[in-house]
Amino acid sequence: MFEIIRDIGAITRKTEIKTNAEFRRLGLANNAFIYVIRTYEKPGMFLGELADSVQIDRTTAFRTVQKLVDNGYLRLEDDAKDKRLRRVYVAEKGKTVYPELHAFEQHSSDTLLSQLTIDEQNELKRLLSKLVY
């Protein structure tokens, strides 16, 4: 049944290629757009929490966040209670591009799932939640 995992991988790669090509002009290739989306939708995550939410190792995530800070998409703030933690927020430039990022993500999702009924989409979600990675 490893074909299922191969299919999931193929879908992931095709989606990444398309999104990276779309957002390269914004300096958000290499899946950097995901960080802007996640941070916009859940502002104030600490760096490790953001890394976990995008399911990327923390070192890579920290480097990507720093690039996005340097490019004006995100900003970091020290946690008020625990100075060891840094919280991530969307900067003005990130807020400006978020609607485009979200619309592209929504369109991609709608296209990918267009052949499935609502019940099939719910079943797919249920089954995927059972996968352990």
Side-chain angles (χ1 to χ4, degrees):
M1 294 299 286
F2 64 87
E3 295 89 2
I4 293 170
I5 302 305
R6 285 183 177 174
D7 289 344
I8 291 170
I11 292 167
T12 301
R13 283 187 298 283
K14 286 179 184 178
T15 302
E16 285 179 348
I17 289 167
K18 189 174 182 181
T19 52
N20 285 330
E22 178 71 18
F23 299 128
R24 184 170 288 113
R25 64 185 165 74
L26 298 173
L28 296 173
N30 298 322
N31 301 315
F33 66 94
I34 295 170
Y35 295 82
V36 177
I37 289 172
R38 294 280 164 66
T39 304
Y40 185 95
E41 293 173 353
K42 191 176 176 193
M45 285 187 282
F46 64 88
L47 283 166
E49 193 177 14
L50 177 57
D52 294 345
S53 81
V54 296
Q55 298 180 343
I56 295 184
D57 69 275
R58 290 178 178 205
T59 303
T60 301
F62 296 165
R63 279 195 311 263
T64 302
V65 166
Q66 190 56 58
K67 286 179 187 174
L68 291 168
V69 168
D70 293 344
N71 290 328
Y73 287 104
L74 299 178
R75 62 185 173 80
L76 295 171
E77 290 183 16
D78 291 333
D79 184 78
K81 295 178 183 168
D82 186 344
K83 297 298 180 190
R84 295 172 298 171
L85 297 178
R86 300 199 70 199
R87 299 208 174 264
V88 186
Y89 296 91
V90 176
E92 207 52 49
K93 188 174 179 181
K95 290 176 185 176
T96 301
V97 299
Y98 174 78
E100 180 182 354
L101 304 178
H102 178 71
F104 188 88
E105 185 180 48
Q106 184 66 57
H107 174 73
S108 296
S109 176
D110 291 346
T111 301
L112 199 60
L113 299 173
S114 66
Q115 300 299 308
L116 300 178
T117 66
I118 295 299
D119 288 340
E120 289 171 331
Q121 290 176 31
N122 289 331
E123 179 67 2
L124 178 61
K125 184 176 180 178
R126 185 186 72 76
L127 292 170
L128 287 173
S129 73
K130 294 177 86 172
L131 296 181
V132 177
Y133 187 73

